[in-house]
Amino acid sequence: MKPTLFIRFYCFVCAIGLASIFQSQAQPRPLPAEQEIPLQYGADRLGKRQDAAMQQFRNHRLGAFIHWGLYAIPGGEWKGKMYPGAAEWLKSWANVPSDEWMQLMQQWNPTRFDAKAWARMARQMGVKYVKITTKHHEGFCLWPSQYTSYTVANTPYQKDLLGEMVKAYNAEGIDVHFYFSVMDWSHPDWRYDLKTREDSVAFRRFLDFTDNQLRELATRYSTVKDFWFDGTWDSSIKKNGGWTAHVERMLKELVPGVTINSRLRADDYGKRHFDSNGHLMGDYESGYERKLPDPVKDLKVTRWDWEACMTVPENQWGYHKDWSLSYVKTPMEVLERIVHAVSMGGNMVVNFGPQPDGDFRPEEKELAASIGRWMKQNGECIYGCDYAGMEKQDWGYYTRKGNNIYMVVFNLPFSRRLKVKVPRKLRIDAARTLDGKKVEVTEAARDEYIVLADRFASEKEPFVICLSVEDGSADSSRYRDALT
Ligand code: JFZ
């Protein structure tokens, strides 16, 4: 082989090698199209949904969860014994038969419930949407469902609680999302697995009942913006991937623009959340506070929409009488998780478990008020913001909206100098506080700036610095490496 030919051949081999390396790095999860297996019930879309309703879901960024049901009455205590586990699972912890559990309906009379006050509290907290448990695993419905007698209509309270909430939240400009547990401990046809023909027949009846309830919810409360499914992890559901795809289609036909979490879905092979080809099913991935992605290592999550939700004590969603049984997060710890989620392109939903009388416990009122105070001043770095594409630094988190990159500072160093490393081609023009005061910023090295944070030395809470940036227009003469 002549040397020139050899070099050409060598370059060719290298190019192929490099191309395949880049390819495998760019697409670690989904298989190349030709290797995908055909699925009837897999993802019906690749990539993020870009319609207006989805953008609204994404822009909201901060929501509240409401877990409210019969479990609020015992509040974690059954026949004199206190159970430290999740209060909404007490029926299961204490092995209470369903008919005995449903006797609690006779005590359901939340006389202090005031939908307008709830909605005001949510607006003051700065949440843009509220996820309400229409029906949790116990099977008790907060709306007067015509398909079961276990509803609020058959309690001393009688009135349609869900309807009151939807109306009040919407009047405050807050979207309502419906939490719905498919698993229903109160229904005789619910099955964990389908082992016999009888199981399959009963479970088919159960799925029809569930369809009816969902159709009822979607039509009675047509301003609903989202269904968040839960209780779908059992084999019986995994063997019915087709039904989960049907539910998603049905709700999308009934409620234009509605969004649906990934937890509902299973594909042809019972694979959940992500189908057998690695594509997200549903509109967004629904994770948990214990599973917040690592802000340095898990950047893959920025490729899809996602929403995390968190409890204030450890894993207590429903009202539990005794919050001293586990660690209770401070408002600033809750805030840090909110910012953490937004910095990685996700939403955060903070949980509330109202008391059986319809009021919120004092700790939750205080939490909502402190988050609200902070959001009122600093919400600009949360609403409508996304992953900024910047390397995380120890002082806190970045978020981005257009040409504004927000630094949300949780840890101010003794030097009060904050390092900002920018990607090639991104230039910082200026820095300011959210109320418009100039903050000094100097170029320290190639692709690296230092923000002088002296003026924040006496801050008691996390603070925000807004960087005005320009990208794509880097002027290479700005970086004078040779002169340093
Ligand atoms: C579920 C419920 O069991 C719980 O009571 C609460 O309503 C919560 C929001 O959702 O709990 C889960 C479900 C899935 C996971 C964790 C808790 N998960 O996948 O990690």
Side-chain angles (χ1 to χ4, degrees):
M1 203 184 276
K2 279 204 271 179
T4 47
L5 255 185
F6 175 76
I7 288 168
R8 267 191 215 159
F9 178 71
Y10 181 77
C11 289
F12 178 71
V13 169
C14 286
I16 290 196
L18 278 177
S20 59
I21 288 171
F22 280 121
Q23 179 130 12
S24 65
Q25 277 185 348
Q27 302 195 325
R29 248 196 113 128
L31 296 165
E34 66 278 9
Q35 281 177 35
E36 290 200 352
I37 51 172
L39 292 172
Q40 226 182 323
Y41 309 123
D44 52 13
R45 181 195 68 248
L46 300 184
K48 297 181 182 178
R49 238 176 84 174
Q50 292 300 351
D51 56 285
M54 190 71 216
Q55 279 170 25
Q56 179 162 318
F57 171 97
R58 186 183 301 134
N59 286 343
H60 283 160
R61 287 304 186 218
L62 176 61
F65 224 132
I66 302 273
H67 273 75
W68 207 29
L70 297 177
Y71 42 80
I73 298 170
E77 183 179 357
W78 198 256
K79 297 193 170 148
K81 186 169 174 217
M82 196 61 94
Y83 292 80
E88 73 283 1
W89 277 76
L90 179 65
K91 178 187 178 300
S92 166
W93 308 144
N95 262 313
V96 188
S98 207
D99 42 354
E100 190 183 341
W101 183 260
M102 286 302 178
Q103 298 299 311
L104 289 167
M105 280 172 58
Q106 291 159 25
Q107 294 175 58
W108 183 263
N109 195 13
T111 49
R112 295 175 70 192
F113 172 69
D114 176 352
K116 286 187 184 148
W118 282 31
R120 256 196 317 278
M121 174 172 157
R123 175 173 47 77
Q124 282 163 3
M125 179 179 171
V127 300
K128 300 292 186 191
Y129 62 97
V130 174
K131 296 181 113 76
I132 305 169
T133 50
T134 57
K135 176 177 94 165
H136 204 265
H137 309 333
E138 62 180 7
F140 176 66
C141 302
L142 289 188
W143 82 102
S145 174
Q146 63 177 100
Y147 301 102
T148 171
S149 52
Y150 301 135
T151 84
V152 69
N154 301 318
T155 66
Y157 187 78
Q158 288 185 339
K159 285 174 281 178
D160 176 5
L161 272 173
L162 187 63
E164 290 186 48
M165 289 188 218
V166 171
K167 206 167 133 215
Y169 284 121
N170 286 170
E172 289 283 1
I174 293 171
D175 279 353
V176 173
H177 295 189
F178 285 167
Y179 165 105
F180 184 93
S181 171
V182 176
M183 174 169 77
D184 184 333
W185 294 332
S186 76
H187 201 289
D189 291 331
W190 163 258
R191 295 287 183 281
Y192 291 93
D193 200 355
L194 309 175
K195 295 217 173 80
T196 63
R197 217 189 115 59
E198 287 68 39
D199 282 343
S200 300
V201 172
F203 200 63
R204 186 61 247 175
R205 280 197 302 268
F206 178 79
L207 295 181
D208 291 341
F209 156 77
T210 306
D211 279 353
N212 284 335
Q213 286 207 319
L214 289 170
R215 230 180 276 115
E216 189 179 42
L217 283 171
T219 49
R220 274 184 75 102
Y221 312 100
S222 57
T223 62
V224 61
K225 293 286 183 281
D226 172 275
F227 279 82
W228 196 95
F229 285 94
D230 194 16
T232 44
W233 48 73
D234 290 301
S235 304
S236 51
I237 302 283
K238 288 199 238 170
K239 290 174 181 169
N240 277 284
W243 175 78
T244 68
H246 143 80
V247 167
E248 184 173 351
R249 260 197 318 274
M250 174 179 84
L251 292 175
K252 285 183 172 173
E253 272 163 29
L254 290 170
V255 186
V258 76
T259 51
I260 295 182
N261 68 334
S262 60
R263 174 156 308 138
L264 165 68
R265 296 282 274 103
D267 76 0
D268 314 36
Y269 298 94
K271 187 108 180 14
R272 299 185 58 239
H273 295 260
F274 290 87
D275 70 16
S276 301
N277 291 319
H279 303 305
L280 181 71
M281 294 179 285
D283 299 316
Y284 60 94
E285 163 68 339
S286 37
Y288 283 81
E289 88 277 17
R290 287 181 199 79
K291 287 200 269 177
L292 265 182
D294 184 296
V296 177
K297 296 189 204 115
D298 292 338
L299 293 175
K300 65 176 190 299
V301 302
T302 62
R303 282 193 254 133
W304 50 77
D305 283 301
W306 59 276
E307 177 191 72
C309 51
M310 63 176 294
T311 54
V312 181
E314 279 299 298
N315 201 34
Q316 286 294 349
W317 300 87
Y319 173 77
H320 196 293
K321 285 177 190 168
D322 191 355
W323 265 19
S324 76
L325 295 173
S326 78
Y327 179 72
V328 179
K329 295 169 197 80
T330 67
M332 288 307 115
E333 288 175 290
V334 172
L335 182 66
E336 182 155 356
R337 283 163 173 82
I338 296 169
V339 176
H340 179 161
V342 177
S343 78
M344 302 188 72
N347 288 18
M348 178 54 90
V349 180
V350 181
N351 183 68
F352 292 80
Q355 298 168 171
D357 66 0
D359 202 355
F360 288 87
R361 67 199 310 147
E363 300 95 318
E364 288 183 345
K365 288 184 187 173
E366 269 172 51
L367 172 70
S370 358
I371 300 289
R373 272 193 303 275
W374 194 89
M375 289 297 293
K376 199 162 177 215
Q377 249 183 32
N378 304 289
E380 188 185 329
C381 73
I382 301 291
Y383 306 124
C385 288
D386 212 332
Y387 170 59
M390 306 263 278
E391 188 185 304
K392 168 137 174 37
Q393 303 295 320
D394 291 339
W395 46 255
Y397 304 87
Y398 294 106
T399 66
R400 180 168 187 169
K401 183 162 45 191
N403 283 343
N404 288 339
I405 289 184
Y406 300 97
M407 301 168 63
V408 193
V409 182
F410 279 84
N411 317 298
L412 180 63
F414 285 108
S415 69
R416 293 176 198 147
R417 299 307 186 250
L418 308 177
K419 190 202 273 185
V420 175
K421 286 181 97 173
V422 296
R424 275 287 133 88
K425 292 192 170 176
L426 188 130
R427 206 176 70 207
I428 298 177
D429 289 335
R432 58 167 174 89
T433 62
L434 290 184
D435 53 5
K437 297 197 188 78
K438 188 177 153 55
V439 173
E440 227 183 296
V441 52
T442 63
E443 222 177 320
R446 194 186 171 97
D447 304 326
E448 194 175 307
Y449 293 78
I450 294 289
V451 172
L452 278 65
D454 297 298
R455 70 152 61 236
F456 302 98
S458 58
E459 287 292 336
K460 296 274 180 301
E461 290 192 344
F463 57 88
V464 181
I465 298 168
C466 174
L467 308 172
S468 306
V469 306
E470 266 173 71
D471 34 15
S473 59
D475 165 6
S476 54
S477 68
R478 280 176 67 83
Y479 305 107
R480 293 174 300 263
D481 279 354
L483 300 178
T484 60

